[in-house]
Structures are given as structure tokens and as C-alpha cells.
Amino acid sequence: MGGNYEANKRYIPFIPVATIEAAVSGDSIAMSIVLSKYQNYISRLAMKPVYEEEKGMVMYVDEYMRRQLETKLIEKILEFDTTR
């Protein structure tokens, strides 16, 4: 990739393989680490426009959709095959 990673505020390190393997085996701490990695992405996907009288069109995170996306990610993590 190149460049100075310290200067790039958007750089998020990869999740270590051991953490992924622990999440696949059901470790709740490892699962929360993986979920936190994707938290911003999931929230962005769950954005919903809402019209408010005073503010006009405002974007909010649809918590129901956010939770559905998190649940689907958890399901896929638990199904993930680490032997490939």
C-alpha cells in the first residue's frame, strides 16, 4: 500500500487470524472485536432518511436494520470455514 499509516486516520489494521479463528469457534470477545471492526460500515448501510419539520431531511441509523445486519454478520462468521 505504501504511505505512512500513522498519518492516515482512516487506516484500520486487519483483524489477526487468531482472532478470526476464535470468533468462528464462538469466543464472544473475539466476536465483539470483529463486530467493532465493521461497526461504522454497518451503521452506514443502515442509514435512513427521515423528514423533520424543523430540520428538513435528516439521516438516522435505523437500529432495527443495523441489528439485522449485525446478526447476519454473526451468523456468517459462525459458518465461516477457516480450513480453506
Side-chain angles (χ1 to χ4, degrees), residues 5 24 28-29 35 38 41-42 45 47 54 70 75:
Y5 292 124
V24 169
S28 62
I29 295 172
L35 288 175
Y38 292 101
Y41 179 65
I42 289 172
L45 289 175
M47 294 296 274
E54 299 168 357
E70 280 184 355
E75 289 173 1

Side-chain angles (χ1 to χ4, degrees), residues 35 42 65-75:
L35 288 175
I42 289 172
M65 184 185 299
R66 184 189 62 77
R67 188 65 187 142
Q68 283 183 316
L69 291 168
E70 280 184 355
T71 302
K72 185 57 78 172
L73 178 58
I74 291 168
E75 289 173 1

Side-chain angles (χ1 to χ4, degrees), residues 31-76:
M31 185 68 73
S32 66
I33 291 169
V34 174
L35 288 175
S36 68
K37 164 82 171 166
Y38 292 101
Q39 180 180 8
N40 291 338
Y41 179 65
I42 289 172
S43 293
R44 178 73 103 183
L45 289 175
M47 294 296 274
K48 178 180 181 183
V50 176
Y51 180 79
E52 291 188 354
E53 192 70 33
E54 299 168 357
K55 299 178 185 176
M57 194 63 70
V58 181
M59 297 296 284
Y60 286 106
V61 175
D62 181 344
E63 290 298 321
Y64 178 73
M65 184 185 299
R66 184 189 62 77
R67 188 65 187 142
Q68 283 183 316
L69 291 168
E70 280 184 355
T71 302
K72 185 57 78 172
L73 178 58
I74 291 168
E75 289 173 1
K76 293 301 178 182

Side-chain angles (χ1 to χ4, degrees), residues 5-33:
Y5 292 124
E6 299 301 322
N8 184 354
K9 299 217 186 254
R10 290 181 171 242
Y11 172 73
I12 300 171
F14 292 109
I15 301 170
V17 174
T19 304
I20 295 170
E21 289 173 344
V24 169
S25 68
D27 183 345
S28 62
I29 295 172
M31 185 68 73
S32 66
I33 291 169

